[in-house]
Amino acid sequence: MKISRVIFLTAAAAMLVMSLSGCYFLPEEEEVYDPPVVKASEVSYTTTTATRKDLVKQVVAAGTITSGTESNVAFTEYGGSIKQVYVSAGDAVEEGQLLAELETYALDQEITIKEMEVYREELEYQIAVENGESETVKAKEKLDVELMQNELDGLLEQKAAAAIYADVAGTVSYVRTLSPGNWVNAGDTIVTIIDITDLYIDISPTTEVGQFLIGRPLSIRYEGEYYDGVVVANKSGKQWDEETQGELLGEDGEPVLAEGSEKIRVAFKDDIPVSSAVGNIADAVLVLDSREDVIVISANLIKTDNGQQVVYLFKNNERVRTPVTTGLQSGSSIEITSGLEVGDEIIIR
């Protein structure tokens, strides 16, 4: 009995120690947490709205306005100091009209003296005749007259070369800025005269070259204004048929060719810009096709999916694949003939 009592007391003591130290054979029940919730972030799109507008497919090529009739007037024999320029840019001039003169004060004095010397020699010849001088004396006096007259003629030619005249009728497009006393050299252009009813530009388009058919109407744009123009020359010689709105063909179906040229030339028709436009840049504008009031979007918004043209719309907060059909394209803009409505939000990215 004593041994059992000892064992019991020992076991009780051990259990007391364990309870005081905080240790248990079974673990304490852990707190239960709610399962984690994962939220999907909203996708943000950049969009553009489908709208209607006019679409024009055209070719634009620049050239310098030039006159088919142009005359550069200069002092050709010799240079000198300017006496006076009698015209200004924009003036209409007639053929033979005086344009400018060099200063000839010293030359005028020489001419006056030489005229007097000629007159003197003529008197001496007349005296020899009246006095019945020998044929030899009369011949000598007559020769003196001729020699002096030749010298006078030379001076008069110099005088004539000191003035320049319009060699054609037209409009003054350029006048060199000169004041009396300014020196000019022989050959320097003083005045340029043009025929403003014969203006054109030469162009070198980089695309659709074959569309510039001789006789085809187009527009010429200068300083924001549009003028009627027409193609008057091209390299191929191919011509425009107004009836078929295409290439002019013969009965054999082959192109009817005019004479070819090194450049494509576009001429102004009835209305022309002011004469000061000569030498400035203008654009030839050839309209190839156009659409009015159609849905137009940027061509890079169209994707190819399984061989089908599609765009992606933003509808009801979703990305929606939408097949489309296209029409006229001009540069980066393209016509949508079906698949889109005005106001549709097209996803850019």
Side-chain angles (χ1 to χ4, degrees), residues 86 107 117 202 223 291 340:
Y86 300 105
L107 180 60
E117 290 176 349
D202 286 335
E223 292 188 340
R291 300 286 188 274
L340 290 183

Side-chain angles (χ1 to χ4, degrees), residues 117-334:
E117 290 176 349
V118 170
Y119 181 61
R120 182 190 63 197
E121 294 301 329
E122 288 175 341
L123 289 176
E124 290 183 355
Y125 172 70
Q126 187 176 354
I127 291 172
V129 172
E130 291 175 353
N131 290 341
E133 299 288 349
S134 66
E135 293 300 320
T136 302
V137 172
K138 288 189 292 185
K140 175 183 175 302
E141 294 299 337
K142 186 177 182 181
L143 182 59
D144 287 342
V145 172
E146 293 174 353
L147 291 173
M148 204 62 66
Q149 183 64 52
N150 284 340
E151 292 180 10
L152 176 60
D153 290 344
L155 294 175
L156 293 173
E157 288 177 2
Q158 291 184 48
K159 171 74 173 179
I164 51 177
Y165 301 85
D167 54 359
V168 295
T171 301
V172 176
S173 65
Y174 164 80
V175 177
R176 182 175 172 181
T177 302
L178 294 167
S179 298
N182 289 159
W183 182 268
V184 296
N185 296 313
D188 291 347
T189 297
I190 307 301
V191 176
T192 298
I193 302 170
I194 62 169
D195 180 358
I196 62 171
T197 64
D198 184 20
L199 300 183
Y200 66 88
I201 61 174
D202 286 335
I203 60 174
S204 298
T206 57
T207 60
E208 305 290 353
V209 176
Q211 296 291 340
F212 288 85
L213 301 171
I214 296 173
R216 185 168 190 173
L218 42 62
S219 297
I220 301 176
R221 182 175 60 205
Y222 174 65
E223 292 188 340
E225 297 292 332
Y226 285 83
Y227 301 85
D228 291 335
V230 62
V231 180
V232 295
N234 61 23
K235 295 182 180 181
S236 67
K238 293 182 179 180
Q239 301 181 72
W240 174 253
D241 188 339
E242 188 66 29
E243 182 177 348
T244 64
Q245 296 289 289
E247 189 176 323
L248 180 63
L249 303 176
E251 294 181 356
D252 56 0
E254 294 297 319
V256 179
L257 301 180
E259 184 177 354
S261 172
E262 293 184 358
K263 297 182 178 180
I264 296 175
R265 177 164 293 183
V266 177
F268 288 83
K269 293 183 71 176
D270 301 326
D271 295 330
I272 55 176
V274 295
S275 60
S276 58
V278 174
N280 294 333
I281 301 298
D283 295 320
V285 182
L286 177 59
V287 175
L288 301 177
D289 203 349
S290 64
R291 300 286 188 274
E292 293 184 358
D293 193 32
V294 295
I295 294 177
V296 177
I297 66 172
S298 177
N300 61 14
L301 297 177
I302 299 176
K303 313 301 179 183
T304 300
D305 185 8
N306 293 326
Q308 188 177 39
Q309 290 183 309
V310 301
V311 298
Y312 290 92
L313 301 183
F314 187 65
K315 287 186 175 181
N316 301 320
N317 292 322
E318 293 183 352
R319 182 173 181 263
V320 180
R321 176 185 180 278
T322 305
V324 295
T325 56
T326 59
L328 179 65
Q329 181 170 357
S330 177
S332 62
S333 298
I334 192 166

